[in-house]
Amino acid sequence: SMEQASPHQLGALAKDDRPATVAMLDHLIRYFGAALPQLRGGQVPLAQEAELVQAYLAIYRARMGTRLGYEVCIPRDLGGLVIPSMLLLTLVENALKHGVNPIVEGGYIRVSATRERNALSLKVADSGRGLDVRQGRGAGLANIRQQLLMTYGSEATLSLRSAEPRGAIASVSIPVK
């Protein structure tokens, strides 16, 4: 079962049996998809959420191969700031599902965090399908808007804009003490 599989065993599996690996990755992706909504609620340190994002992207990378490139740029000194649980992951999931995965050549996802005075700015940029073909896709984003409103009132913002030459950038700004 999955719990006992070491990275070494997974590596061996990948070499011997690509179809089994793909099936396992698909199960993992479905598992994440089912488990994530249950995990929403509460606040977590940014560093902890970043770990989850790294794991999620690594699984997709194993599934998509060279079709997916990514980087997660979270400065260590921001790692202790708390954010709503699953916020960053939901943005990444949205970029993968609606931006990068649907196009043949895939794309790149960059996750970053910066601090501007009393606000923490989180960004997920992708080089996938632009916004025009993605309108109305993303219950995830509606959930984030709701969560931000309930947690911070009007002090937090979520914006989605087009990236150049193509793709999208989702930005969230939340107040920090």
Side-chain angles (χ1 to χ4, degrees), residues 10 21 30-31 50 53 56 77 85 89 92 96 98 100 106 109 120 124 129 131 147 154 156 167 173 176:
L10 293 183
T21 307
R30 274 205 300 280
Y31 166 78
V53 163
Y56 191 69
D77 61 333
S85 171
L89 195 81
V92 169
L96 273 166
H98 304 303
V100 170
I109 292 179
L120 173 64
V124 175
R129 292 192 300 180
L131 289 186
Q147 192 177 25
S154 61
S173 173
V176 288

Side-chain angles (χ1 to χ4, degrees), residues 4-81:
Q4 282 88 40
S6 71
H8 175 74
Q9 285 167 306
L10 293 183
L13 176 66
K15 275 190 209 61
D16 300 341
D17 191 355
R18 177 72 188 156
T21 307
V22 166
M24 182 194 67
L25 291 167
D26 284 343
H27 286 309
L28 271 174
I29 287 166
R30 274 205 300 280
Y31 166 78
F32 258 115
L36 297 185
Q38 319 303 320
L39 299 174
R40 288 195 179 94
Q43 302 216 317
V44 293
L46 178 56
Q48 189 181 323
E49 180 90 353
E51 293 257 319
L52 193 55
V53 163
Q54 286 273 17
Y56 191 69
L57 283 164
I59 289 168
Y60 259 90
R61 166 76 199 204
R63 179 65 182 89
M64 291 175 65
T66 54
R67 291 179 58 234
L68 175 63
Y70 67 87
E71 59 182 323
V72 179
C73 310
I74 309 282
R76 186 161 289 167
D77 61 333
L78 301 183
L81 297 176

Side-chain angles (χ1 to χ4, degrees), residues 116-130:
E116 290 131 31
R117 288 201 285 285
N118 298 329
L120 173 64
S121 173
L122 303 169
K123 281 192 178 62
V124 175
D126 73 73
S127 67
R129 292 192 300 180

